[in-house]
């Protein structure tokens, strides 16, 4: 029986605008008396992976408690308000959310169909070279055949066609990646031991073992074209010289059918609409619940310990699932002797720490019509060799870096993407800028509490912020003088608010090492420790949908059921109804 064919769906979307109701769900604080009895599982972390895993288990009748250390739930889907404006911190656009798609079907299932997705402009991503003769690239259905780019680079037609041929290979390879995570590990180990992967997985091995840069270098010497074809590497945080073809291909295919979408009502709607399904099954989702360790009995996970007020609260459950990432989980939550015996500390050595992130949030005076703000994103490059620029920039001292042009900035206007924005924040607009940063530049303040780092730190941060805004207004001069409020978040901000150990936003680095076949097989939902599971972006890949698939994989292992088959059948049923 497919439990997901009985999903509750709403015929029309209705955003809950009552602020108290939203606060009651998104900021429901941990209290001992709120802990449900007879839990089936505990999930550590309320990011998309954790909520997806909990939601799927709840759909199967399991009572699940989700614990979030931050003061609000949602992980990188959460938003915050500052001086009369709202900012998303991680959701800028999601791909292929059209009716009948697998992506939308999964989210509809977990939100009872109450989450509405708004399509962005057809040209939802634009590449800008911040120099004379700016180059633009349109991302839409035409991109699949590369016709638009071929028109601009007629002498590199073969290179462009080879690129899109590789992207099509990645589409099948992405499915195989999920299968490798779902099939029993002993079976996969046997397959590899007999070297059958060298015979049957040749294309998969190629796209996981070849960098995007080496592939592009093979087919063209045109730096401009190579930058355009690899422009969105910032979406997974690894430059082309370190990124496997597969990671880039999965991202390109993610937007290939219907482009980019944004959640109506803002990014926090995602978590808000996912909670009811978990609560309905007897579980709950609680914020301000700092799990400081996982409990074990006879080498089996049996609960968690939560720091609450001046005491420690132990909560028991037969299944413990971590969405806190491999670094936090293996180093901080599991006793060292248990993690070492399970091979987890050795596993950590095989992964690479990701780089930090710096964000700038700007509240603007005027509506999107007043400021002519599009529902799209801009990738602004300082030159046609961003990888070289980035290596040089990241090696600078913090003083030099703060006053140097950023090699790459991602500029987005969330207010222009959400039709409900003007009703909620009239006569204002928002701008979010994201770029790479070096945690070492801010390391001397790591032990200081948030908003307690002093004048030197704040001045340094604002020097970075002002440099970024200077680059933004160079491309958007109409925003000059329109700033009502501007603030920034350094890698330390990400350490505090999303508990990322190295100030990163994408978990373990998405480089060749991560996509080594052995690491793909080892980093999965189930672990060598009985009763303990991992989920989220470190199990699959980064991003909302990548993290959700991490939740699908883990829930499949916990429930001992190939949920992907249920989800495929669910999509088929939806498509039948659409055709009827």
């Amino acid at each position: 029986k497919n439990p997901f064919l009985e999903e509750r769906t709403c015929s029309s979307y209705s955003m809950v605008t009552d602020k108290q109701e939203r606060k009651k769900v998104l900021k429901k604080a941990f209290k001992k008396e709120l802990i449900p009895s007879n839990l089936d599982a505990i999930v550590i972390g309320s990011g998309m992976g954790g909520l997806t895993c909990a939601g799927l288990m709840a759909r199967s009748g399991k009572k699940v408690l989700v614990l979030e250390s931050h003061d609000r739930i949602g992980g990188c889907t959460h938003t915050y308000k500052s001086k009369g404006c709202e900012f998303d911190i991680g959701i800028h656009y999601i791909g292929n959310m059209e009716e009948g798609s697998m992506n939308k079907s999964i989210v509809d299932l977990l939100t009872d169909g109450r989450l509405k997705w708004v399509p962005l402009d057809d040209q939802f991503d634009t590449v800008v070279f911040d120099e004379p003769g700016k180059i633009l690239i349109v991302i839409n259905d035409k991109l699949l055949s590369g016709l638009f780019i071929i028109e601009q680079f007629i002498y590199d037609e073969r290179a462009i066609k080879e690129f899109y041929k590789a992207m099509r290979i990645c589409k099948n390879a992405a499915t195989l990646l999920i299968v490798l995570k779902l099939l029993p590990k002993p079976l996969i180990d046997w397959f590899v031991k007999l070297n059958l992967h060298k015979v049957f997985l040749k294309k998969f091995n190629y796209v996981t073992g070849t960098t995007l840069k080496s592939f592009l270098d093979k087919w063209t010497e045109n730096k401009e074209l190579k930058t355009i074809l690899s422009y969105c590497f910032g979406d997974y945080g690894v430059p082309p010289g370190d990124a496997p073809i597969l990671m880039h291909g999965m991202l390109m295919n993610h937007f290939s059918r219907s482009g980019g979408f944004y959640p109506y009502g803002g990014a926090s709607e995602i978590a808000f609409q996912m909670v009811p399904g978990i609560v309905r099954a007897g579980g709950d989702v609680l914020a301000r619940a700092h799990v400081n360790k996982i409990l074990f009995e006879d080498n089996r996970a049996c609960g968690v310990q939560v720091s609450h007020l001046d005491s420690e609260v132990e909560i028991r459950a037969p299944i413990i699932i971590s969405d806190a990432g491999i670094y936090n989980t293996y180093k901080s939550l599991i006793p060292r002797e248990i993690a070492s015996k399970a091979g987890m500390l050795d596993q950590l050595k095989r992964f690479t720490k990701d780089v930090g992130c710096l964000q700038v949030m700007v509240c603007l005076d005027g509506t999107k019509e007043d400021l002519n703000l599009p529902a799209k994103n801009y990738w602004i490059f300082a030159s046609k060799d961003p990888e070289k620029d980035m290596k040089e920039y990241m090696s600078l001292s913090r003083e030099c870096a703060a006053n140097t042009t950023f090699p790459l900035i991602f500029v987005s206007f969330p207010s222009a993407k959400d039709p409900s924005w003007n009703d909620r924040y009239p006569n204002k607009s928002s701008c979010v800028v994201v770029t790479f940063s070096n945690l070492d530049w801010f390391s001397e303040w790591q032990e200081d509490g948030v908003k307690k780092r002093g004048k030197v730190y704040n001045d340094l941060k604002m020097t970075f912020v002002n440099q970024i805004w200077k680059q933004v207004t160079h491309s958007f001069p109409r925003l000059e003088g329109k700033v009502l409020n501007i603030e920034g978040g350094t890698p330390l901000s990400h350490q505090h608010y999303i508990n990322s150990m190295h100030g990163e936003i994408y978990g373990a680095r998405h480089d060749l090492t991560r996509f080594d076949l052995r690491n793909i097989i080892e980093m999965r939902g189930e672990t060598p420790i009985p009763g303990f599971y991992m989920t989220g972006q470190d199990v699959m890949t980064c991003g909302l949908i990548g993290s959700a698939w991490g939740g699908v994989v883990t829930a499949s292992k916990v429930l001992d059921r190939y949920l992907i088959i249920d989800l495929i059948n669910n999509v088929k049923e939806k498509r039948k109804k659409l055709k009827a």
Side-chain angles (χ1 to χ4, degrees):
K1 181 183 177 181
N2 181 354
F4 305 131
L5 291 180
E6 300 175 5
E7 64 179 283
R8 305 183 184 193
T9 57
C10 299
S11 58
S12 61
Y13 172 82
S14 176
M15 189 179 80
V16 177
T17 55
D18 184 270
K19 293 181 180 179
Q20 291 303 315
E21 178 64 23
R22 295 180 63 77
K23 182 178 180 180
K24 191 187 302 183
V25 173
L26 295 174
K27 294 187 175 184
K28 187 176 183 180
F30 177 86
K31 294 179 182 178
K32 286 190 283 188
E33 55 267 29
L34 294 178
I35 301 171
S37 60
N38 302 316
L39 288 168
D40 293 302
I42 296 170
V43 175
I44 305 168
S46 67
M48 191 63 186
L51 289 179
T52 298
C53 184
L56 291 172
M57 292 177 65
R59 285 283 181 187
S60 299
K62 302 298 182 183
K63 189 186 292 188
V64 184
L65 175 63
V66 181
L67 299 172
E68 170 59 49
S69 63
H70 190 25
D71 67 0
R72 67 203 67 190
I73 68 168
C76 283
T77 70
H78 86 256
T79 60
Y80 79 97
K81 296 176 183 178
S82 178
K83 298 182 180 178
C85 212
E86 178 182 277
F87 301 104
D88 62 24
I89 60 99
I91 300 300
H92 307 298
Y93 59 151
I94 306 299
N96 294 344
M97 275 292 178
E98 75 279 9
E99 291 292 339
S101 68
M102 176 62 82
N103 290 356
K104 190 171 188 302
S105 181
I106 292 174
V107 177
D108 280 353
L109 171 69
L110 296 167
T111 63
D112 297 331
R114 293 184 59 85
L115 188 59
K116 180 180 178 181
W117 294 90
V118 183
L120 304 189
D121 294 348
D122 288 340
Q123 185 181 329
F124 62 85
D125 264 352
T126 294
V127 171
V128 178
F129 292 118
D130 199 3
E131 56 187 33
K134 294 178 181 178
I135 303 295
L136 307 182
I137 176 174
V138 178
I139 308 299
N140 55 25
D141 290 342
K142 289 183 180 179
L143 192 62
L144 279 177
S145 61
L147 292 178
F148 180 83
I149 302 178
I150 289 173
E151 290 174 3
Q152 291 191 11
F153 299 93
I154 190 68
Y155 297 110
D156 286 289
E157 181 174 353
R158 185 180 179 190
I160 296 166
K161 287 183 175 179
E162 289 294 334
F163 174 80
Y164 287 103
K165 180 181 177 182
M167 296 302 99
R168 288 191 290 272
I169 292 173
C170 290
K171 189 172 184 179
N172 294 328
T175 302
L176 182 56
L177 180 66
I178 297 173
V179 171
L180 288 172
K181 302 283 187 179
L182 286 172
L183 289 177
K185 187 172 179 295
L187 176 63
I188 302 299
D189 289 338
W190 172 83
F191 185 81
V192 173
K193 187 176 182 179
L194 294 180
N195 287 321
L196 296 178
H197 63 292
K198 295 180 180 179
V199 179
F200 296 103
L201 302 182
K202 287 183 178 179
K203 290 184 177 179
F204 182 84
N205 293 335
Y206 176 68
V207 296
T208 56
T210 306
T211 67
L212 179 61
K213 182 179 186 300
S214 62
F215 172 82
L216 293 172
D217 287 346
K218 176 182 176 181
W219 293 105
T220 181
E221 296 180 357
N222 191 321
K223 289 185 178 181
E224 192 171 273
L225 175 62
K226 286 190 282 190
T227 300
I228 284 177
L229 293 177
S230 62
Y231 81 96
C232 54
F233 69 83
D235 275 339
Y236 50 87
V238 182
D242 296 322
I245 298 172
L246 177 58
M247 187 61 238
H248 194 72
M250 287 192 292
L251 182 66
M252 296 294 281
N253 289 320
H254 178 63
F255 295 101
S256 63
R257 280 198 317 275
S258 55
F261 292 77
Y262 191 78
Y264 185 94
S268 62
E269 277 291 294
I270 299 170
F272 179 72
Q273 300 293 359
M274 291 179 75
V275 170
I278 298 169
V279 174
R280 215 165 37 229
D284 214 336
V285 184
L286 303 177
R288 297 184 183 272
H290 177 68
V291 175
N292 57 42
K293 69 178 178 180
I294 297 170
L295 304 175
F296 295 87
E297 285 183 0
D298 300 324
N299 292 319
R300 179 184 179 90
C302 63
V304 300
Q305 181 174 280
V306 176
S307 298
H308 179 60
L309 301 177
D310 296 325
S311 63
E312 309 292 346
V313 180
E314 291 190 357
I315 310 173
R316 301 282 171 156
I319 299 294
I320 307 300
I321 302 163
S322 177
D323 187 33
I326 57 173
Y327 289 106
N328 284 322
T329 304
Y330 293 177
K331 283 189 172 184
S332 302
L333 298 181
I334 300 177
R336 184 175 180 82
E337 61 274 16
I338 294 178
S340 179
K341 185 178 179 180
M344 291 173 168
L345 299 183
D346 290 334
Q347 187 180 34
L348 276 183
K349 296 175 184 177
R350 299 198 297 269
F351 289 89
T352 311
K353 298 175 183 177
D354 209 356
V355 297
C357 170
L358 193 149
Q359 297 197 54
V360 175
M361 284 68 68
V362 189
C363 181
L364 299 167
D365 184 13
T367 65
K368 67 177 182 179
E369 291 81 11
D370 296 334
L371 302 174
N372 191 26
L373 301 180
K376 62 190 296 184
N377 311 306
Y378 291 85
W379 298 82
I380 303 178
F381 294 90
S383 80
K384 298 183 178 71
D385 196 351
E387 186 155 7
K388 174 176 172 291
D389 293 345
M390 277 188 58
K391 287 180 179 178
E392 293 176 354
Y393 179 79
M394 296 294 279
S395 66
L396 295 174
S397 67
R398 70 188 186 198
E399 289 78 16
C400 289
N403 293 282
T404 300
T405 298
F406 283 80
L408 164 63
I409 59 173
F410 171 90
V411 182
S412 177
F413 303 101
S415 56
K417 301 173 183 178
D418 178 13
S420 77
W421 174 274
N422 209 40
D423 292 333
R424 298 185 293 127
Y425 303 98
N427 303 315
K428 294 180 181 179
S429 294
S430 64
C431 174
V432 174
V433 189
V434 187
T435 189
F436 296 98
S437 185
N438 191 333
L439 177 62
D440 291 341
W441 293 334
F442 308 94
S443 58
E444 70 179 82
W445 296 283
Q446 272 188 285
E447 301 304 317
D448 298 333
V450 67
K451 298 183 180 179
K452 297 178 181 179
R453 298 188 178 113
K455 184 178 185 301
V456 175
Y457 170 82
N458 289 329
D459 288 348
L460 175 65
K461 179 174 71 172
M462 289 311 299
T463 303
F464 278 104
V465 167
N466 291 332
Q467 173 60 40
I468 287 177
W469 190 243
K470 178 182 176 182
Q471 290 177 231
V472 172
T473 53
H474 184 257
S475 293
F476 302 93
R478 62 186 180 275
L479 301 183
E480 195 79 59
K482 296 294 183 179
V483 174
L484 294 175
N485 179 50
I486 185 167
E487 53 195 63
T490 70
L492 299 186
S493 306
H494 295 101
Q495 282 186 326
H496 176 79
Y497 290 109
I498 60 174
N499 209 23
S500 59
M501 187 166 283
H502 310 114
E504 79 285 358
I505 53 176
Y506 298 128
R509 191 166 173 80
H510 290 64
D511 55 11
L512 286 183
T513 302
R514 174 169 176 154
F515 284 85
D516 175 80
L517 185 59
R518 173 51 53 190
N519 287 335
I520 288 174
I521 295 169
E522 294 290 340
M523 191 61 253
R524 50 203 296 113
E526 74 273 31
T527 74
I529 301 174
F532 177 66
Y533 297 78
M534 291 294 299
T535 196
Q537 64 180 2
D538 282 346
V539 171
M540 280 300 296
T541 64
C542 63
L544 184 99
I545 299 301
S547 299
W549 275 109
V552 172
V553 166
T554 305
S556 296
K557 292 297 180 179
V558 174
L559 298 172
D560 193 22
R561 181 186 182 103
Y562 289 116
L563 297 180
I564 189 171
I565 297 175
D566 297 321
L567 293 171
I568 289 171
N569 289 334
N570 201 21
V571 170
K572 288 180 179 177
E573 289 295 320
K574 283 180 173 290
R575 288 175 180 172
K576 283 182 184 177
K577 292 178 182 178
L578 288 173
K579 290 180 179 179

